[in-house]
Amino acid sequence: MNKAADKSMSYDELRGAIAQRHRALSGRLQQIAEFVLDHPTEVALGTVAEVAARSGVPPSAIVRFAHALGFGGFTEMQQVFRSRLVAGVAPSYKARLARMKHEEKSILGRKPAAVLGRFVAEAQSALVTLSESAHAREMDAATAILANARDIYLLGLGGSFPVAIHLAYVLRKLGRRVMLLDGIGGSIHEQSHPAGPEDALVAISFRNYYPDTARLFPELVARGVPAISITDSLLSPIVEGAEVVFEIQDMPEPALRTLVAPMCLVQALAIGLDLAAD
């Protein structure tokens, strides 16, 4: 980015700019981009040396990254990340995971009831974050896409499959035509073959992104299928080409993900779609 960054740029605008330019960056700058999107609090509070050490690059690369985004230097870019903290965002999931791992070293942390309590706390935090990040305009845009669809295709494989199958269940109960792309018997391409611009796609994927989801999503978008993505990063393989993106951060380890927030989101989309049709 040769153009100087706007001094009034918001954190969300900066995240969008980083995601948009990610593929055009060098390998090392891509590594930094991924780090700063995943660890915004550390970027906001750390020195350039600390951020460099955590992201595994030399400090000069951090400065080059800031320059590539149009900033005069790291400090200028850091101010945008600090604006996020001033806005009072919820603590990151990774910070809570670190606390959880620390607690697991205690006797209490090894008791099932204590583990349940921590998972309930994680689910509550996920729902609070969802309520703050899923804006009315995105919900309205998503329900409009679904309302205009002839058939609704659902793509959520691996760990995301429970979310997709729950959405399929609710939509079918509400009388919608749904195609669940489950890929049973290696048939996922045959299942998705009829999809076209008159239909809609809801894609769900979280790290580590399921390979078949990452491969099929751009194919359907290239055919003109309007897409709604539910994922955990703007660098996710199901973001580019989506008309609406819901970014939901969750625990990074698949075994620790609650799926409470995406389940709540898809239920709200389905019920909202039905209410809008009345």
Side-chain angles (χ1 to χ4, degrees):
M1 186 192 303
N2 296 323
K3 186 170 120 178
D6 188 339
K7 299 297 186 298
S8 63
M9 176 184 287
S10 70
Y11 171 68
D12 285 340
E13 289 170 338
L14 176 56
R15 289 173 69 251
I18 293 172
Q20 183 180 18
R21 299 169 196 278
H22 177 258
R23 291 186 180 180
L25 298 173
S26 67
R28 179 163 282 178
L29 296 190
Q30 284 186 356
Q31 180 180 338
I32 298 170
E34 291 158 13
F35 177 83
V36 301
L37 289 180
D38 283 346
H39 304 83
T41 300
E42 294 183 34
V43 177
L45 300 178
T47 65
V48 66
E50 290 169 342
V51 173
R54 286 283 287 114
S55 56
V57 301
S60 60
I62 301 294
V63 176
R64 288 202 307 275
F65 177 74
H67 288 163
L69 293 173
F71 292 100
F74 171 74
T75 301
E76 191 175 296
M77 180 183 74
Q78 187 180 48
Q79 293 304 316
V80 181
F81 284 88
R82 287 181 173 174
S83 70
R84 167 183 169 272
L85 297 184
V86 173
V89 299
S92 73
Y93 276 75
K94 293 190 177 180
R96 292 198 293 275
L97 176 62
R99 186 187 70 239
M100 182 178 181
K101 287 182 176 178
H102 175 74
E103 291 171 353
E104 284 176 346
K105 295 178 181 178
S106 69
I107 295 175
L108 178 64
R110 291 193 291 270
K111 292 184 177 180
V115 173
L116 173 62
R118 286 199 298 275
F119 271 95
V120 169
E122 293 299 334
Q124 290 172 333
S125 296
L127 290 174
V128 170
T129 302
L130 173 65
S131 69
E132 294 173 348
S133 62
H135 303 299
R137 64 179 179 275
E138 294 166 339
M139 297 294 291
D140 291 344
T143 53
I145 290 172
L146 297 177
N148 293 325
R150 175 186 59 189
D151 294 322
I152 300 174
Y153 287 77
L154 306 181
L155 177 61
L157 301 170
S160 303
F161 188 67
V163 183
I165 201 167
H166 178 64
L167 179 55
Y169 172 80
V170 178
L171 287 173
R172 286 169 178 161
K173 285 288 186 181
L174 297 174
R176 299 287 172 171
R177 291 174 43 169
V178 176
M179 172 58 77
L180 180 63
L181 302 175
D182 53 26
I184 292 177
S187 62
I188 196 163
H189 287 285
E190 288 77 7
Q191 291 174 338
S192 63
H193 180 72
E198 303 83 8
D199 303 308
L201 170 68
V202 179
I204 309 144
S205 190
F206 306 100
R207 277 175 282 194
N208 296 315
Y209 308 106
Y210 201 83
D212 284 346
T213 300
R215 281 192 292 266
L216 184 58
F217 178 83
E219 293 180 17
L220 294 177
V221 168
R223 280 191 233 160
V225 182
I228 301 164
S229 293
I230 300 172
T231 189
D232 57 0
S233 170
L234 292 181
L235 301 181
S236 162
I238 65 168
V239 165
E240 187 174 354
E243 297 196 15
V244 181
V245 176
F246 293 100
E247 186 183 5
I248 302 177
Q249 293 187 351
D250 205 334
M251 306 296 280
E253 283 76 3
L256 298 179
R257 290 180 189 144
T258 65
L259 292 182
V260 169
M263 284 285 195
C264 184
L265 174 62
V266 298
Q267 179 114 12
L269 288 174
I271 300 302
L273 171 63
D274 189 59
L275 293 175
D278 291 342

